[in-house]
Amino acid sequence: MALQGPMLWLSVHPCRGLVDEKIKVLVHHAAPVQRLTVHTLFRSEDGDDWEAFGHYVSDSAGAVDVSEDVCLGGTYSGHEPMGLLWSLRPVPGSRPSLRFRKKDTGTPMLVTISLHQGFLSDSFTERLPLASRVVERWYMAPGVRRVELTEGGVTGTLFLPPGPGQFPAVLDLPGGGRSLPEARAVLLASHGFVTLALNYLNPRRTAGGEYHVGNDYFQTAFSVLQTHPQVIRERIAIVGLSFGASMALGLSVYSPTIKPSCLVSISGSHVQPAGGSLGDIFAEFKKNEKNTRYDEEKRVIWHDLLLPIPSNPSKKVDVGQLCCPLLLIVGKDDQNWPAEESASDMKEMMEMSGNGHLLTVLSYPDTGHLIEPPYSPHCRSSNFINAESREKFVVLWGGEVTAHCHAQEDSWWKILDFLKKHLYYGPQSDITSCT
Amino acid sequence: MNALKRLYRRQEVIPSCKTFATSQWTSFLHFRSDLLRNNFMARTIAMLSVHPSRGLVDEKFRVEVENLPPACPVTLHCLHRSEDQDHWEAFGHYCSDHSGTVKVSEDESLGGTYSGREHMGLLWSMRPVPGSRRGLRLRKTHVDVPMTLLISVYRGHLTAGFRELPPVASVVAERWYMAPGVKRIAVEERGVTGTFFIPPGPGPFPGVLDMWGGGGGLVEYRSALLASRGLASMALKYIDPGDTPTDMRMGYFETAFQIIQDHPQVISDRVGILGLSFGTSVALTVAAYSQISRPRCCVGISGSHAYPINRPVAELFGEMGMNEEKMKRDEEDNVIMRNLILPIATDPAKKVDVGRIECPLLLVNGDDDQNWATTESAEDIANMMSVAGNKHLLTTLTYPKAGHLIEPPFTPHIRASNFIVQHSKEKVIMLWGGEPKGHAVAQEDSWKRILNFLKEHLCIEPTLVPQAKL
């Protein structure tokens, strides 16, 4: 076959990267001032197709640089170097209410990036692109080891960075749902932390055991990390999302044995029976079920179940007693938990108590509940199975795409900086004595 | 102060680096006194990183260490276990700066397997670990999986004992010959054996016929890398190292070239030829004489216009064998073959008539090539083309202190390695020449130039296309 006409070069760098790394998409030798569409396609492990696309016009040299140029429309617009990834959404005709989740974190996401002539908005798979490339997006850095853990009745997944150690560690408490999300935990290990993603909502139980695990479960998990030969026992943090954040707050204050070096709470709340357990938190939700609201598409809004923020101290974690630095990450459009209201109340409590200097609050406008690792597609609502009742809902998480994805990117690096500061760098001058 | 000295000895941190100035010594003492006050809490934990952790073999990576004590002597070490289960290593000696950081891309190595400011020294200066088998060469057979490197940082300036001592930290890096989406297709058709690598996407793509030298076999890694850079490339097998060379003539190479042209994802009039060593003789023969195969351009690495393929390959090797008295041995009994083709023949029948070549030609040579007299050949080629009036097609790159095996960038330099001489099947250690730094420079620079040359001559420049209406 002989070719007539120009030959386009499409390059994507890096072709293999961690999911939190930026990519650079470049087009060379297009015609000058040519309309082009850059399209990304990803097929999930469940067989659903996700896509994103942006409209660009090449410059007088026939070049496009997605990191520098302005996108004129598509699933994102404006100057958005990573819009091709974070604006991924299920293709038209997909099953409804999907949530983006990588189950096997040891293998990469394979994303096809294609270049099409003109401004296209649909039917991408029916047209032949001008060029395409494949990129691998990894959660797991080379050398990170994944170990399924069952120890002392505790189950979860342990991720170990390469090397002899010893390393600081993170106890990762993910949010609600049926399966154990590992994405954040493996990414933290890829950044040098031994991380235990704890299965506390669906653990393997012995016959006759209680439905919800008690606080001793978390204490055992913390102790498993402390006694691991590759962990520096004095350098362990807790990172929690949603339910996990709430547990982290309560345990850090009331548990006699859980004393983290620092705490990250994402989309969490301190509203729970003081000194209570996971079961108590669920009971609180059940009590306030009447506060459930629905949007115009009948999606469930659980935001009010913990409202109003109580003034009675026995109904919330006394964060005034917290001894370690706390990073609160909340979305102002969280439709699932009253994370912002809780954050304001926590700030007040800590300032009154005199430990306000330990607190950092990052509150992101137009950002919802599911603040995930960077460049993950935003999920405004999705199918959800209640861990306790096994009922199926479509839950509204909240957030507007662009703002939410910016928040995911910004908060991730701040979480990493926070963890490195308190776990890797020097004497922990922020720790005040609690005796 | 006595307590400090005791602690200092126990921690085994001896400031031996030459840049340890007075002010740095003072800050070092200050740091150590912190340890005395609050030993476990003030412990800093070094952070080692490599970026990218997964890269193509021709990409640079950044190796950095943070959070060391200031002015702290460390050794950065790179370890690789080859497919043949041999261990290769490289290391450099560094001193952290005032912020406790070492950046291999910016700092000076004070010694080791390389010295000075060498961004990629941890790769190109790799050599077999002490006690390894003789005559090793690092080559990748399975190109669909990466090379894995263990990069570690050790306290102090070490030159041995890396296995026995625990490092301060380690990371793993992967180096790939194949980009994601590149397709690998085995070729067994029309009597030709090879492997085709096609870039991702619909194409069509320019093509390359890729040939290695007299060692024979099917060597895929350069073709995989070319495809990862957008060029459909076929690695050709034309010598079977185990068997007696067959009656292989120019027709075999023309058929291989045709197979590339016929592929639906290849631009049939944009196919070039790339050869190394004996592969250069093949490339030049096809370019000069073939009425069927018209390469768009030609690259000859470490080769010569001697031994045109106007007779079966087996016969040519036999003829080489008859010139054994021209083969020398060095003081380590390594075989030096460079004199085989010297003096350069004046009889036109004994060399390719390069005056007939009608396509651009790039020659890449090392001036310390001990295997083929490539610089002398390049000079003669230039003279012949000058007389014929086609010298404007020729570009010659001659790299000082580079040897024969000019491989993709950052490949460890091999001065001599095991080789089976084709005509006699004798096992020898062949001297290739070159010295590590000069050879590394040649590999890195020539690869960029080869890619640019191929793209310039195989990719069509934009023609007039109606402008899009906005």
Side-chain angles (χ1 to χ4, degrees), chain B residues 11-238:
Chain B
Q11 297 286 348
E12 293 177 0
V13 175
I14 313 291
S16 64
C17 56
K18 293 170 188 159
T19 54
F20 214 162
T22 312
S23 60
Q24 288 163 320
W25 173 242
T26 310
S27 66
F28 175 80
L29 277 179
H30 179 71
F31 163 77
R32 305 309 287 181
S33 63
D34 276 344
L35 276 182
L36 282 178
R37 274 203 307 274
N38 201 0
N39 194 12
F40 75 93
M41 292 294 272
R43 173 178 169 183
T44 59
I45 311 153
M47 296 193 293
L48 174 64
S49 64
V50 58
H51 189 271
S53 54
R54 293 181 174 92
L56 291 179
V57 294
D58 59 358
E59 286 176 356
K60 289 186 173 178
F61 61 23
R62 286 192 325 269
V63 176
E64 294 182 0
V65 194
E66 291 175 272
N67 216 30
L68 290 166
C72 178
V74 292
T75 302
L76 274 158
H77 182 262
C78 180
L79 181 70
H80 170 66
R81 188 168 72 177
S82 71
E83 286 161 333
D84 299 325
Q85 309 302 311
D86 300 296
H87 287 92
W88 294 67
E89 69 175 2
F91 54 91
H93 296 154
Y94 292 89
C95 225
S96 61
D97 66 12
H98 61 279
S99 66
T101 303
V102 170
K103 292 185 183 183
V104 172
S105 56
E106 293 175 19
D107 298 350
E108 301 268 328
S109 163
L110 305 167
T113 54
Y114 65 98
S115 60
R117 195 171 131 192
E118 294 293 347
H119 191 149
M120 299 299 286
L122 283 170
L123 274 182
W124 59 251
S125 73
M126 277 206 288
R127 62 205 188 174
V129 298
S132 295
R133 305 179 287 154
R134 273 195 78 203
L136 293 177
R137 181 176 170 187
L138 189 62
R139 302 192 96 180
K140 194 82 168 67
T141 306
H142 303 291
V143 295
D144 51 344
V145 294
M147 276 179 72
T148 304
L149 303 171
L150 181 69
I151 297 174
S152 305
V153 60
Y154 289 84
R155 286 187 213 290
H157 287 168
L158 310 181
T159 51
F162 294 100
R163 278 196 166 175
E164 290 79 39
L165 288 164
V168 169
S170 299
V171 286
V172 175
E174 291 179 359
R175 305 288 289 169
W176 290 79
Y177 283 92
M178 261 173 86
V182 168
K183 295 183 280 285
R184 178 182 174 273
I185 303 165
V187 174
E188 281 286 356
E189 69 178 90
R190 308 183 222 175
V192 166
T193 302
T195 313
F196 218 150
F197 290 90
I198 315 276
F205 307 101
V208 176
L209 175 61
D210 177 27
M211 293 174 293
W212 289 84
L218 181 50
V219 182
E220 295 182 356
Y221 55 87
R222 189 170 56 206
S223 279
L225 199 53
L226 287 168
S228 302
R229 295 297 175 201
L231 303 166
S233 180
M234 184 162 90
L236 184 68
K237 181 179 180 182
Y238 64 95

Side-chain angles (χ1 to χ4, degrees), chain A residues 300-319:
Chain A
V300 172
I301 299 171
W302 277 328
H303 175 268
D304 298 349
L305 261 56
L306 292 180
L307 289 180
I309 305 287
S311 41
N312 181 347
S314 69
K315 292 187 186 281
K316 53 190 181 179
V317 176
D318 185 5
V319 288

Side-chain angles (χ1 to χ4, degrees), chain A residues 72-349:
Chain A
L72 301 169
T75 54
Y76 66 100
S77 60
H79 176 240
E80 295 291 352
M82 295 296 286
L84 284 168
L85 286 177
W86 58 248
S87 73
L88 278 167
R89 61 195 190 181
V91 298
S94 294
R95 303 180 289 153
S97 304
L98 292 176
R99 181 174 167 184
F100 183 89
R101 193 172 265 191
K102 185 83 169 67
K103 291 178 203 162
D104 179 3
T105 50
T107 56
M109 285 173 62
L110 289 175
V111 179
T112 304
I113 299 181
S114 306
L115 188 66
H116 291 263
Q117 197 148 353
F119 285 174
L120 306 185
S121 300
D122 53 33
S123 311
F124 289 95
T125 46
E126 291 153 35
R127 296 165 208 258
L128 199 64
L130 295 168
S132 65
R133 291 282 181 267
V134 178
V135 295
E136 292 178 2
R137 305 286 291 167
W138 289 79
Y139 286 87
M140 191 182 270
V144 168
R145 290 157 289 156
R146 179 182 181 277
V147 177
E148 289 197 7
L149 186 94
T150 306
E151 197 174 314
V154 159
T155 61
T157 316
L158 189 67
F159 293 97
L160 297 150
Q166 294 175 325
F167 304 98
V170 174
L171 177 61
D172 182 56
L173 303 180
R178 252 173 80 176
S179 55
L180 179 64
E182 296 181 353
R184 190 174 46 239
V186 62
L187 211 46
L188 287 171
S190 299
H191 284 280
F193 301 95
V194 170
T195 309
L196 172 58
L198 186 66
N199 184 3
Y200 65 95
L201 284 171
N202 299 287
R204 286 170 237 154
R205 294 189 198 85
T206 55
E210 290 227 342
Y211 187 80
H212 289 298
V213 298
N215 289 346
D216 54 323
Y217 185 88
F218 297 90
Q219 279 159 182
T220 305
F222 196 82
S223 163
V224 161
L225 271 179
Q226 281 183 308
T227 53
H228 192 285
Q230 284 187 284
V231 169
I232 304 167
R233 57 179 299 130
E234 307 86 22
R235 302 278 178 104
I236 302 177
I238 306 182
V239 174
L241 172 85
S242 194
F243 262 114
S246 297
M247 284 310 303
L249 287 165
L251 292 164
S252 300
V253 170
Y254 299 113
S255 165
T257 57
I258 295 180
K259 296 290 165 219
S261 303
C262 63
L263 198 45
V264 179
S265 157
I266 309 170
S267 303
S269 172
H270 62 324
V271 175
Q272 54 187 270
S277 68
L278 184 65
D280 294 328
I281 303 181
F282 273 100
E284 274 304 302
F285 273 109
K286 256 216 168 97
K287 256 196 292 185
N288 293 333
E289 257 178 349
K290 59 187 182 319
N291 291 349
T292 303
R293 287 185 284 122
Y294 299 87
D295 74 349
E296 63 285 353
E297 291 178 45
K298 297 201 166 45
R299 295 179 291 199
V300 172
I301 299 171
W302 277 328
H303 175 268
D304 298 349
L305 261 56
L306 292 180
L307 289 180
I309 305 287
S311 41
N312 181 347
S314 69
K315 292 187 186 281
K316 53 190 181 179
V317 176
D318 185 5
V319 288
Q321 290 184 51
L322 202 58
C323 287
C324 69
L326 168 62
L327 176 63
L328 287 182
I329 295 174
V330 301
K332 285 183 166 24
D333 191 43
D334 190 334
Q335 299 294 321
N336 192 246
W337 281 56
E340 213 210 343
E341 295 86 338
S342 305
S344 300
D345 192 64
M346 281 193 262
K347 183 163 191 259
E348 233 177 83
M349 289 173 76

